[in-house]
């Protein structure tokens, strides 16, 4: 069998740069040492940089779902009312977690291909003056939709007792997320996304308003108790054994991001997304997310009529070594998703479009071969 080179083009896990992998190959160090305290200090400053905030940023050894659960148990009491605006799988998960802990959910449900509307949140807050929180996904990975968290924050800012919780798990490091300037109370991310790390770390930023919510919260919590983590972070420690190796990797990844500069990182993602979109449209495919709300983390695309997206994904992976992902839930086998957040450059996109064209040709789709590559190249050249 000939060697097949692999290309990971999914919206998480994402590829890890060699510099980061090398750092993580170092022998393990003990976490209760001055050496590791310096590492934690650096990690906190790095996270504040990438979250664009001066708020506390707490670090957990968990996947993203852990900090989603943590946000609920730290901000609320059983029976509290929260508004969940959802237009995809991860918004659905936010609702489920809130209900699991006995919250009353005001459910603002949209189609997956629609953007959440800030005006609906404003109306829901007026209709439910007892609401204590608004929960929204900034970059919905299942649909590629970018939700207007800045506009939503302008509304929640008017309510002293309402915290805005933002799942930016595929937003941070891929799209603009100005935590302080926009007034986002709780922002979450996971390591296997824009941070260019393996899975296993998650981070959350907590505003003063969110700390006030934490003071009144009575929901049970132990590992995800923010206050324990804040206390330990103040002493450059973590309350429990941290994911030492991943945190060493985090600091190296952030070194690369700082060298590029956050604005340039976001601009690179925007360019990659634009080339991907232009490429797939040039071969007659339709984008899933609406034009007004397309994020730069992932590009979901409708499969051509009569062709299962699962088949496209399967051929690309099996025959060409390029892993993209199928749609989820109701969109399984109807859309495919090309991830481009984190350690990606123009030639990853060109390679993926080439594999896509080859798979589509094998499946009998009629289009002008090479058109997606030419279109993407033109975007990169412009
Ligand atoms: C937007 C979003 N929220 C939440 C999650 C859940 O994160 P995890 O799978 O790391 O628990 C993901 C993961 O894909 C995501 O993309």
């Amino acid at each position: 069998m000939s060697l097949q080179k692999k290309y990971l083009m999914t919206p998480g896990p994402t590829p890890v740069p060699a510099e980061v992998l090398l750092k993580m190959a170092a022998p393990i160090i003990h976490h209760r040492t001055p050496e590791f305290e310096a590492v934690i200090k650096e990690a906190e400053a790095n996270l504040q940089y990438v979250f664009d905030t001066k708020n506390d940023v707490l670090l957990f050894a968990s996947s993203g779902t852990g900090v989603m659960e943590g946000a609920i148990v730290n901000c609320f009491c059983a029976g509290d009312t929260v508004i969940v605006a959802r237009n995809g799988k991860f918004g659905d998960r936010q609702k489920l977690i809130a209900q699991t802990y006995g919250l009353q959910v005001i459910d603002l449900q949209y189609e997956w291909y629609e953007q959440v509307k800030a005006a609906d949140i404003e109306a829901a807050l007026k209709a439910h003056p007892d609401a204590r929180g608004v929960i929204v996904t900034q970059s919905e990975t299942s649909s590629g939709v970018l939700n207007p968290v800045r506009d939503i924050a302008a509304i929640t800012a008017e309510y002293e007792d309402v915290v805005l919780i933002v799942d930016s798990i595929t937003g941070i490091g891929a799209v603009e997320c100005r935590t302080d300037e926009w007034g986002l109370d709780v922002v979450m991310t996971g390591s296997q996304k824009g941070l260019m790390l393996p899975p296993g770390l998650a981070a959350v930023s907590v505003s003063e308003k969110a700390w006030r919510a934490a003071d009144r919260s009575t929901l049970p919590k132990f590992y995800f108790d923010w206050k324990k983590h804040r206390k330990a972070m103040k002493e450059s420690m973590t309350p429990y054994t941290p994911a030492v190796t991943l945190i060493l990797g985090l600091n190296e990844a952030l070194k690369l991001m700082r060298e590029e500069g956050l604005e340039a990182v976001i601009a690179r993602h925007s360019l990659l997304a634009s080339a991907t979109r232009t490429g797939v449209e040039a071969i007659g495919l339709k984008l899933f997310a609406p034009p007004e709300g397309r994020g730069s983390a992932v590009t979901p695309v409708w499969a051509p009529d009569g062709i299962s997206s699962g088949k496209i994904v399967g051929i690309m992976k099996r025959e060409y070594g390029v892993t993209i992902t199928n749609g989820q839930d109701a969109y399984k086998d109807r859309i495919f998703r090309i991830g481009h957040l984190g350690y990606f450059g123009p030639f990853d996109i060109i390679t993926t479009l080439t594999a896509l064209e080859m798979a589509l040709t094998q499946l009998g789709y009629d289009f002008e071969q090479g058109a997606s590559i030419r279109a993407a190249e033109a975007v990169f050249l412009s």
Side-chain angles (χ1 to χ4, degrees):
M1 209 176 83
S2 61
L3 174 76
Q4 189 188 54
K5 188 164 178 187
K6 303 276 197 298
Y7 302 85
L8 183 61
M9 298 295 301
T10 69
T14 63
V16 180
E19 294 89 329
V20 176
L21 289 170
L22 273 173
K23 270 283 171 228
M24 294 192 303
I28 195 81
I29 57 172
H30 198 272
H31 56 291
R32 305 288 179 213
T33 56
E35 194 183 355
F36 193 70
E37 282 170 22
V39 171
I40 283 283
K41 224 186 177 107
E42 188 184 338
E44 192 183 16
N46 277 331
L47 287 167
Q48 285 175 322
Y49 173 77
V50 80
F51 276 72
D52 211 347
T53 188
K54 292 195 169 59
N55 290 338
D56 296 303
V57 185
L58 311 174
L59 199 50
F60 296 86
S62 80
S63 82
T65 306
V67 283
M68 290 165 78
E69 180 164 348
I72 299 293
V73 296
N74 280 280
C75 289
F76 305 112
C77 305
D80 275 356
T81 298
V82 291
I83 296 163
V84 178
R86 59 189 178 108
N87 54 350
K89 188 171 182 71
F90 297 103
D92 294 352
R93 189 174 300 174
Q94 300 263 26
K95 179 186 163 192
L96 275 176
I97 298 171
Q99 287 176 329
T100 301
Y101 282 96
L103 303 190
Q104 299 298 320
V105 172
I106 308 301
D107 191 13
L108 297 186
Q109 188 182 4
Y110 299 82
E111 295 294 343
W112 283 26
Y113 46 79
E114 286 176 339
Q115 205 184 23
V116 166
K117 291 179 190 61
D120 294 343
I121 288 172
E122 191 167 24
L125 280 168
K126 285 199 177 119
H128 301 277
D130 55 336
R132 291 287 188 165
V134 170
I135 308 176
V136 67
T137 312
Q138 183 185 21
S139 159
E140 196 21 283
T141 322
S142 57
S143 66
V145 174
L146 186 71
N147 287 315
V149 295
R150 180 186 193 164
D151 299 345
I152 296 168
I155 296 159
T156 53
E158 302 296 318
Y159 294 79
E160 214 175 296
D161 292 331
V162 175
V163 285
L164 173 59
I165 296 178
V166 177
D167 170 352
S168 190
I169 289 174
T170 54
I172 290 290
V175 299
E176 213 180 14
C177 184
R178 297 186 186 270
T179 302
D180 289 358
E181 192 185 317
W182 297 351
L184 314 179
D185 296 309
V186 176
V187 180
M188 304 173 270
T189 198
S191 54
Q192 77 279 25
K193 309 282 187 177
L195 295 179
M196 310 187 289
L197 291 166
L201 267 189
V204 59
S205 74
V206 183
S207 73
E208 280 309 315
K209 198 203 249 185
W211 280 119
R212 287 199 296 279
D215 280 338
R216 79 170 263 288
S217 161
T218 52
L219 278 172
K221 46 196 153 284
F222 194 90
Y223 178 75
F224 287 107
D225 186 335
W226 285 352
K227 287 184 186 167
K228 282 189 202 143
H229 284 260
R230 176 173 61 177
K231 185 166 174 285
M233 287 292 260
K234 294 274 177 250
E235 291 156 26
S236 299
M237 287 207 273
T238 53
Y240 315 110
T241 309
V244 172
T245 303
L246 289 172
I247 297 172
L248 289 170
L250 171 75
N251 285 345
E252 189 63 22
L254 260 295
K255 195 170 128 197
L256 299 176
M257 290 174 87
R258 280 178 184 263
E259 278 166 11
E260 186 178 3
L262 192 53
E263 283 196 11
V265 170
I266 305 302
R268 172 167 54 82
H269 281 79
S270 169
L271 184 66
L272 296 174
S274 166
T276 309
R277 288 176 200 142
T278 310
V280 295
E281 285 190 308
I283 51 172
L285 300 180
K286 301 262 179 302
L287 298 169
F288 184 76
E292 68 280 9
R294 291 177 183 153
S296 302
V298 55
T299 298
V301 183
W302 287 103
D305 283 346
I307 296 180
S308 153
S309 61
K311 286 212 168 117
I312 300 172
V313 173
I315 293 177
M316 286 176 70
K317 181 169 191 312
R318 231 177 15 256
E319 300 193 20
Y320 307 117
V322 178
T323 303
I324 62 166
T325 48
N326 201 329
Q328 294 171 292
D329 295 354
Y331 294 100
K332 184 164 187 283
D333 292 333
R334 296 171 68 197
I335 64 172
F336 59 86
R337 296 174 299 145
I338 301 172
H340 34 67
L341 86 152
Y343 185 48
F344 286 111
F347 292 100
D348 297 308
I349 305 301
I350 299 287
T351 301
T352 305
L353 290 172
T354 306
L356 174 64
E357 285 203 2
M358 289 162 78
L360 288 171
T361 303
Q362 281 174 258
L363 290 166
Y365 177 59
D366 185 23
F367 67 103
E368 189 194 340
Q369 257 179 352
S372 74
I373 323 300
R374 276 198 302 283
E377 271 182 29
V379 172
F380 290 128
L381 283 168
S382 70

